[in-house]
Amino acid sequence: MSATIARLIANEKGFTGTLATLAIRCPISIVENAKRSDESQEPDYRVVATRNGFELGAAWVRTSQRTGAEYISVSLRAPEFGTLYANIAPAPGGKEGEFVMIWNPPAN
């Protein structure tokens, strides 16, 4: 089972939306990493809390080994929730420019 932890809208520099769990509600921006180069280990995007500008995590463009489709893999870290891993996917219903962040719970 997957859990949506953010609803996002695409823009020219990445995404904006709200990270939301049962205990947390935080406006976020996922912005292109200006420091990234083809040779660097830098992430493709930075995840920032828009209320205070704190960086919450990073995101990388990945390619699915199974389907060959590109997706965005996200790693978030904060004292309130520890470390979360998620993927960004098109929102259900297929509206252009709407996405969701889906939590990837650790495998047991």
Side-chain angles (χ1 to χ4, degrees):
M1 173 158 180
S2 62
T4 298
I5 59 171
R7 294 204 171 270
L8 306 167
I9 302 293
N11 60 41
E12 62 280 347
K13 294 188 179 191
F15 305 87
T16 59
T18 301
L19 174 66
T21 68
L22 293 175
I24 298 166
R25 184 167 177 82
C26 177
I28 60 171
S29 289
I30 302 170
V31 294
E32 290 179 348
N33 182 3
K35 295 180 182 179
R36 171 111 168 81
S37 68
D38 290 338
E39 303 83 37
S40 78
Q41 297 286 330
E42 291 278 333
D44 295 296
Y45 296 92
R46 300 282 184 192
V47 182
V48 178
T50 56
R51 227 180 264 149
N52 54 23
F54 293 164
E55 189 169 321
L56 296 175
W60 294 263
V61 175
R62 301 284 191 224
T63 303
S64 170
Q65 293 177 350
R66 191 169 43 106
T67 66
E70 281 193 349
Y71 67 96
I72 299 174
S73 175
V74 182
S75 174
L76 301 172
R77 184 173 292 163
E80 295 83 1
F81 53 76
T83 301
L84 293 176
Y85 298 103
N87 292 328
I88 295 175
K95 286 189 178 178
E96 185 73 27
E98 292 185 6
F99 293 83
V100 292
M101 186 182 301
I102 301 169
W103 174 50
N104 290 333
N108 291 335

